[in-house]
Amino acid sequence: MDTIEFARLRELVAASRTYRRFDEARPVPRELLEALVGVARLAPTGNNTQTLRFHLSTEPGEVAAVLSHHRWAGLLADWDGPEEGARPTAYVTVLGPAGARKNAIRNQDAGIAAQTLALAARAAGLGCCMVASFDAHLMEAIGLAGRADELEPLVILALGWPAADETVVLEPADTSHGLAYWRERDALTGVWTHHVPKLALEELLV
């Protein structure tokens, strides 16, 4: 298993963590988002139905509207999300047929598509945060309120170039934090570190 391709894939998966702070001065071009969706469309779907649709948000007003309709991190109760200047500059909303949120297969499709998008985004140098906590006004925010009878959002991905003062690390789940991700800021450098605990392989095999 010691092949270059395997090593690269493992490195990409390890690097494809959740980024919650971005360089807001660097917009993400729509063309790049289209390329990411071009990769995600190749991913499998249940019975090859390909019912998912993708809405791209890059215009600042729409990005701000989407930002106002979702939450950032359930385990960071004291954090209201990235400050101005560190917010995402693009979103991809993954939608399914109306009623899809109650359909396990359609949600599985959305999860596969979202992970594929996240991996493609990281390969392109972007940071990504998958978000499933959003309110009922999201369709209005992305200009699709008139299609609510045929489509509904399943997951959204916040995207941007990672902030220079933000780093994300994987670490063993053997600290007092357990499996909860956590953040800390270096008092000298000002760099934020987002810690993501991971169980060891031997703990997962049954």
Side-chain angles (χ1 to χ4, degrees), residues 140-198:
E140 180 180 349
I142 62 176
L144 293 178
R147 301 185 64 180
D149 60 336
E150 58 177 300
L151 292 171
E152 69 176 306
L154 300 176
V155 62
I156 56 180
L157 292 88
L159 294 149
W161 305 100
D165 61 347
E166 175 93 1
T167 183
V168 183
V169 298
L170 300 183
E171 60 190 25
D174 58 2
T175 72
S176 60
H177 295 276
L179 295 178
Y181 52 79
W182 55 288
R183 297 171 62 79
E184 64 178 349
R185 191 177 191 182
D186 188 290
L188 294 177
T189 65
V191 172
W192 284 96
T193 299
H194 187 82
H195 299 264
V196 183
K198 287 293 182 181

Side-chain angles (χ1 to χ4, degrees), residues 51-72:
T51 59
L52 297 179
R53 298 296 181 265
F54 304 85
H55 181 82
L56 311 181
S57 302
T58 56
E59 191 276 322
E62 184 172 310
V63 169
V66 175
L67 178 68
S68 69
H69 290 293
H70 75 78
R71 295 189 60 194
W72 274 102

Side-chain angles (χ1 to χ4, degrees), residues 91-110:
Y91 283 93
V92 175
T93 302
V94 182
L95 306 106
R101 288 178 69 86
K102 297 180 180 179
N103 185 302
I105 296 298
R106 298 289 80 85
N107 280 284
Q108 177 177 286
D109 291 346

